[in-house]
Amino acid sequence: MDHPDAEGADVTDEITVMVVDDHPIWREGVARDLTERGLDVVATAPDAGAAVRIAKATRPRVVLMDLNLGATSGVDAIEGILAALPETKVLVLSASGEQADVLDAVKAGASGYLVKSAGAEELLAAVQRTAAGFPVFTPGLAGLVLGEFRRLAGEPAAEEAPVLTERETEVLRLVAKGLTAKQIGERLVVSHRTVESHVQNTLRKLQLHNRVQLVRYAIDQGLTDD
């Protein structure tokens, strides 16, 4: 059965995929999900060495790549596969959404990056778009990548500021005032875990690394003014 990609092209029957992950249950589960949705999963691999070797033999159109491959690295696998098969596309599917991991994967040649919280239909659409030549990123990660490459190219940063939600702004204001996550949660009638989630989302959006930088940003933006 054909499944149109996000651009309207019917490409599913043309897509061959290799799934690379060191966890057998996850690897086979993803392969099964993609097969049931009409993709041709031609191979799976548990580590970087096997991934490069099997990719050369099967020449998949898309490689779905985890980054943590036990004692081996998904980044090394990406570089090895693309050196041998430059037309192959690599889509990372990782549990990590850390900035360093995302940037390392993209610099190695990955076409996109999804975190493992993605659902089966979202993953299918991502593989289709990757095969069609489009970059695919979990929301929030594309801006991170673009910002880094602008920095490396010496280009000025975009003029528009990152958009925070009303609740993220409210949490940021209280963090800058020195309140703990528990205190903020009590004030906003939410759990401290929800507060921490807002803080982490705000750090990612602003491309900051810790609460000290977050407080400095809040002060610069006048969010600590009563």
Side-chain angles (χ1 to χ4, degrees), residues 114-138:
L114 291 184
V115 295
K116 285 186 173 180
S117 58
E121 294 302 326
E122 181 182 356
L123 180 58
L124 171 64
V127 172
Q128 291 174 326
R129 285 185 58 80
T130 299
F134 296 98
V136 179
F137 291 90
T138 291

Side-chain angles (χ1 to χ4, degrees), residues 16-18 20 42-45 47-63 65 76-86 88 90:
T16 54
V17 182
M18 180 170 77
V20 183
V42 295
T44 63
D47 56 52
V52 175
R53 183 175 67 255
I54 295 171
K56 289 179 181 178
T58 58
R59 305 181 70 85
R61 185 170 171 187
V62 176
V63 176
M65 174 75 65
D76 292 339
I78 294 170
E79 293 175 341
I81 289 170
L82 295 182
L85 305 169
T88 293
V90 178

Side-chain angles (χ1 to χ4, degrees), residues 66-68 73-75 78 92 94-108 110 112-113 115 137 141 144-145:
D66 190 13
L67 289 185
N68 185 2
S73 166
V75 171
I78 294 170
V92 172
S94 174
S96 170
E98 294 296 318
Q99 175 175 337
D101 290 333
V102 178
L103 295 178
D104 285 347
V106 173
K107 289 173 183 176
Y113 196 110
V115 295
F137 291 90
L141 298 184
L144 182 157
V145 173

